[in-house]
Amino acid sequence: KSVPVEHLSEHMRIQLLDPNWSKQRKTFLDKQRESNIVSGDAIAANISGFAKEKGELFGSSEQELLDREASKQRLAEANKLIREQAQQQQQQQAAIAAVGASMPPPLPVQPAAAAALPNHPRPSGLEAAPAAKRARVDAPPAPVVGGAAVPPPPPPPPPPPVQPAVAAPMAPAPVVPPPPPPPAAPMAPFAPPAPAGQTDTILAPEAFIASLSDPTIVEVTVQSPADSTNASWNLDGRALSVRVDVATGTVKTIKEACRSELGGMPTNKMQLRMPGAGFLKDKDGLAALNIGPGTTLDLVPKKRGGR
């Protein structure tokens, strides 16, 4: 088999290779194909494709460079055109100025003759009033001294102009600050409203205790609701009468007094409400609330999740 001269060197190189080289090369390529390591050509192709998609990360592409060159060229041509137009305008202005300098100056305008003025006719029945004649004052003859006439003395100079009087500026009136507002009245301390059956005036605890005949034994009415949810609490809507000490008792004292009659209902499940005052707290004193004989409180059981 004949081999061209230009392929002789490659032919000799292949003939001189080790016979096992092709087998080893095939084995190497098979291992590379089975492994997860890609070849250099594949890596180059992936990088090239990524660079085309994300050109802003790898610099400008060839098309962007060409576009930039084209935009620069267009800008240079536009600037050149503007400069040529400006030069043409300057040349035109210079030519107009040269023509104007070579022309003779314009002739002066002669005033129009009086005859050319329009003669308006006078209205009938009216005659023009004669012009008032100015009185003629003859100057006295100049005295003659030694055969020569002495000129008259010059007229006196005119009086100086009188400047108008300018009123002096008035001083501004003093600014009087407004009087301060009166001090606000102190706020009265909050007092709970009076219970039903009593006057609207809330007495101090000491005064309320003094107004009672026996503050240690006071009968208070507690109205229980009709609630069959918990039968062991005996909530059948009856009115409970409890005796408490107003001087030292609190709202919790009334709850503990009602507990035995309500089948051992816990005090933390009881809520006492007084008309006009709302729900009462356990620590509130009875004297401070003016709870005395004849006061009626409503019992509201506390339910889970709220009142």
Side-chain angles (χ1 to χ4, degrees):
K1 181 180 179 179
S2 58
V3 179
V5 177
E6 58 271 13
H7 298 162
L8 182 60
S9 59
E10 182 67 18
H11 181 71
M12 293 298 296
R13 186 183 67 81
I14 294 174
Q15 290 295 329
L16 295 175
L17 288 175
D18 187 1
N20 295 328
W21 177 81
S22 60
K23 296 181 181 180
Q24 294 176 359
R25 186 173 182 274
K26 183 179 180 182
T27 303
F28 174 75
L29 293 177
D30 294 340
K31 289 182 179 180
Q32 292 291 334
R33 192 177 298 109
E34 294 176 358
S35 65
N36 57 354
I37 300 176
V38 297
S39 61
D41 297 339
I43 294 175
N46 291 338
I47 293 177
S48 177
F50 184 73
K52 290 181 180 179
E53 295 293 333
K54 300 292 183 179
E56 65 274 7
L57 300 179
F58 296 91
S60 303
S61 61
E62 295 181 0
Q63 185 64 30
E64 291 180 354
L65 296 177
L66 294 176
D67 295 343
R68 291 181 183 177
E69 293 295 334
S71 62
K72 289 182 180 179
Q73 186 176 1
R74 289 195 298 269
L75 181 60
E77 293 177 356
N79 293 335
K80 182 179 179 181
L81 181 61
I82 292 174
R83 287 195 296 269
E84 291 177 355
Q85 293 179 356
Q87 291 178 0
Q88 292 178 2
Q89 291 180 359
Q90 292 178 358
Q91 292 176 1
Q92 292 177 0
Q93 292 178 359
I96 294 172
V99 172
S102 61
M103 295 180 62
L107 298 176
V109 180
Q110 298 294 336
L117 295 176
N119 187 12
H120 299 285
R122 294 178 181 177
S124 60
L126 296 177
E127 295 183 356
K133 296 183 178 181
R134 183 177 298 178
R136 182 178 179 180
V137 179
D138 296 334
V144 178
V145 178
V150 179
V162 179
Q163 298 291 338
V166 179
M170 298 179 63
V175 179
V176 179
M187 297 180 62
F190 173 77
Q198 297 185 9
T199 59
D200 295 339
T201 303
I202 299 298
L203 302 178
E206 295 80 4
F208 180 73
I209 293 172
S211 63
L212 299 176
S213 59
D214 188 1
T216 58
I217 302 175
V218 175
E219 186 173 351
V220 179
T221 303
V222 178
Q223 181 66 42
S224 64
D227 188 1
S228 59
T229 304
N230 197 333
S232 62
W233 290 352
N234 300 329
L235 299 177
D236 51 3
R238 57 196 175 92
L240 307 177
S241 297
V242 295
R243 294 175 175 270
V244 292
D245 185 356
V246 176
T248 60
T250 59
V251 175
K252 190 173 183 180
T253 306
I254 299 178
K255 292 182 178 181
E256 292 176 350
C258 296
R259 182 178 181 181
S260 59
E261 298 188 19
L262 294 177
M265 181 179 181
T267 57
N268 58 353
K269 296 295 182 180
M270 301 180 189
Q271 294 184 113
L272 295 180
R273 180 175 58 191
M274 184 169 62
F279 289 97
L280 307 178
K281 298 181 180 180
D282 291 349
K283 62 181 180 179
D284 292 342
L286 302 181
L289 296 173
N290 288 183
I291 295 178
T295 302
T296 302
L297 303 178
D298 295 330
L299 175 62
V300 180
K302 184 184 294 185
K303 298 181 180 179
R304 181 176 299 178
R307 295 176 176 175

